[in-house]
Amino acid sequence: QVHLVESGGESVQAGGSLRLSCTTSGVLYNNYCMGWFRQAPGKEREGVAVIGSDGTTNYADSVKGRFPISRDNAKNTLYLEMNALKPEDTAMYYCAAVPTYRGRCPSTWRSLSFYWGQGTQVTVSS
């Protein structure tokens, strides 16, 4: 049973920083492409960033350079460092995991069927 638990979301001022974490259990972690998605009120869920077990990353243009993603394979933990936050970053942030060949994230990662966590709310005020 795949179990993902996010933490770290809170309310911050624009320009501030947050660090989201996601602990994972029930998986052979190195075999999973891991990622963060977000969903703002009234909008579709969108991919934010993914990272393969080899450390290869892929980002949405809207967060590139601001939200580095990382993972600690020894701790089965995923991170998202959120810097220079903007009001438009306000959303529920979801940790996601999908088993792939050698835990790599393909270029088509947005179309994969991920397992999801319950989400953690990030609110950025101007």
Side-chain angles (χ1 to χ4, degrees):
Q1 183 84 6
V2 179
H3 192 53
L4 307 168
V5 180
E6 304 95 335
S7 62
E10 57 183 77
S11 296
V12 297
Q13 296 273 355
S17 297
L18 283 175
R19 187 196 201 198
L20 304 185
S21 300
C22 171
T23 56
T24 305
S25 59
V27 302
L28 191 58
Y29 197 67
N30 285 359
N31 287 353
Y32 279 71
C33 166
M34 301 296 299
W36 292 96
F37 287 70
R38 67 185 181 186
Q39 187 167 20
K43 294 190 176 181
E44 301 262 324
R45 184 153 50 186
E46 63 171 346
V48 174
V50 290
I51 183 168
S53 60
D54 62 354
T56 302
T57 58
N58 195 294
Y59 295 92
D61 288 342
S62 58
V63 305
K64 201 172 293 184
R66 296 191 299 128
F67 291 6
I69 188 172
S70 60
R71 62 191 283 171
D72 185 333
N73 291 336
K75 297 181 179 179
N76 285 17
T77 303
L78 179 72
Y79 304 99
L80 187 70
E81 300 281 350
M82 307 172 71
N83 302 305
L85 281 160
K86 306 174 182 179
E88 52 263 43
D89 294 319
T90 294
M92 184 72 78
Y93 282 73
Y94 297 91
C95 176
V98 60
T100 62
Y101 176 69
R102 295 190 176 181
R104 293 173 183 169
C105 300
S107 59
T108 56
W109 59 273
R110 288 179 176 83
S111 65
L112 300 179
S113 295
F114 284 85
Y115 294 98
W116 303 100
Q118 292 297 306
T120 186
Q121 178 68 39
V122 173
T123 303
V124 185
S125 57
S126 56

